[in-house]
Amino acid sequence: MNKVALSKSQKLAGLLAALALLAGLPGCSTAGGSAAGSSGAGDTLTVFAAASLKASFTELAKTYEAGHPGTTVTLSFAGSADLATQISQGAPADVFASADTGNMDKLQQAGLVDGEPRIFATNTLALAVPPGNPAGIRSFSDLAKPGTRLVQCARQVPCGAAAAAVEQQAGTDLNPVSEENSVTDVLGKVISGEADAGLVYVTDVKSAAGKVEAVPFPEAAAAVNSYPIAALANSRNSTKVQAFLDLVTGPQGQHVLAAAGFGSSRP
C-alpha cells in the first residue's frame, strides 16, 4: 500500500510541475488576462503633420490624450511633400496636416483623403538671421547680394513654393547655397551659423526666439500659405480622428496656433 500511495504522489507532483511549466510559456495567459500586444491599433492615433506645426501639434496631442485616456497620439513631422509621398506609398496614418493645399489636393485626387479637408491656419514667410544680423540683411533684395549665404526650402516643399512666389513678385533672382526638404532644416542652418539668412515662416522665427532674429519684408504678403487638415481614407479610427480634427479647428486648437504665430483660418 505504501508503494502504491508513493506512486500516486509522484504522478500528482509531475502533473503540477507540467502545468507550472505551461503557464510560463510565451503567449499563454491565465483566466481574465490577455496576451501581449492585444490592445489593438485603435489605441493609437497617427498624425502626419508639416514640420512647421511641431510645437503646436505636440501641445495639442497632449491635450487630446488628456481628454481621451488610453489613446496615444503618434506624431510624425516632415516636409509636407515628403509626408504626402509617404502616405501615397502606403504609410499608415490617420490624419494629415499640410502646410499647403497642393499636397493635400494630390492625396485627395488619389482617393486617399476621407471627407473634405479643413483649412485650420495660415502662415507667412519671414527672414531669419543669426543674432546681431552679421551679414547686414535689411530687405528681400539683400538676399541676392554676392557672397550672401542664403538657405531656403526646395521648390516642391510649401515654404519653397512660397519663396518662389515672393521671388517672382519682387523681381529678385535668388541663388541659395542650400535647399532643404523642411523649414526646420532651414532654421537649423541659420541657428548653427551655416547661413547668413534663411527663408522660413514667422512661426519658426517665433519658436526660435533668442536664437535668430527676424527681418520683416513686405513682399511676404504675396505668398500666404493655407494649412489644410483631413482624415485619411485608410484610417480605422474615424471617431477619434474626428475628435482630433475638432480639437485643431475648434477654439482650443485655434488659441494654441495663434499663440505660435499662425494666422487665423477664418477670413
Side-chain angles (χ1 to χ4, degrees):
M1 292 294 293
N2 287 340
K3 290 180 69 176
V4 173
L6 182 60
S7 176
K8 287 181 178 181
S9 175
Q10 289 173 330
K11 288 180 180 180
L12 179 59
L15 179 60
L16 291 174
L19 288 173
L21 178 63
L22 285 172
L25 290 175
C28 295
S29 60
T30 57
S34 60
S38 64
S39 58
D43 294 335
T44 299
L45 190 68
T46 303
V47 177
F48 278 21
S52 52
L53 292 165
K54 185 172 184 178
S56 300
F57 269 42
T58 299
E59 181 177 345
L60 289 174
K62 292 177 182 178
T63 299
Y64 183 91
E65 289 174 346
H68 299 77
T71 299
T72 299
V73 179
T74 300
L75 299 166
S76 181
F77 299 102
S80 297
D82 286 345
L83 293 174
T85 298
Q86 291 174 35
I87 293 168
S88 65
Q89 292 176 347
D94 299 297
V95 174
F96 177 45
S98 176
D100 70 340
T101 56
N103 284 293
M104 183 67 78
D105 289 345
K106 290 176 185 177
L107 295 185
Q108 198 170 15
Q109 291 164 9
L112 298 174
V113 172
D114 182 19
E116 194 66 24
R118 307 187 214 174
I119 301 298
F120 66 94
T122 59
N123 214 347
T124 308
L125 288 180
L127 268 175
V129 298
N133 193 5
I137 306 297
R138 305 297 177 193
S139 66
F140 188 81
S141 60
D142 284 347
L143 299 176
K145 288 181 177 180
T148 299
R149 296 177 302 161
L150 168 67
V151 178
Q152 65 182 65
C153 294
R155 295 295 177 101
Q156 71 270 19
V157 182
C159 57
V166 173
E167 185 178 359
Q168 183 177 9
Q169 177 71 20
T172 301
D173 293 326
L174 301 180
N175 295 295
V177 296
S178 176
E179 293 188 343
E180 307 299 323
N181 287 325
S182 74
V183 71
T184 50
D185 290 338
V186 175
L187 186 66
K189 292 211 166 187
V190 178
I191 292 174
S192 66
E194 296 177 63
D196 298 318
L199 279 166
V200 297
Y201 292 120
V202 293
T203 52
D204 299 299
V205 174
K206 186 168 185 176
S207 68
K211 298 178 181 178
V212 298
E213 294 178 4
V215 176
F217 58 101
E219 295 92 342
V224 177
N225 280 23
S226 295
Y227 283 52
I229 188 170
L232 294 174
N234 291 332
S235 173
R236 297 181 180 179
N237 300 320
S238 58
T239 301
K240 292 176 180 178
V241 166
Q242 189 60 48
F244 187 82
L245 298 183
D246 290 343
L247 172 63
V248 172
T249 59
Q252 193 168 7
Q254 292 297 294
H255 175 75
V256 170
L257 290 161
F262 286 94
S264 172
S265 59
R266 298 172 179 82

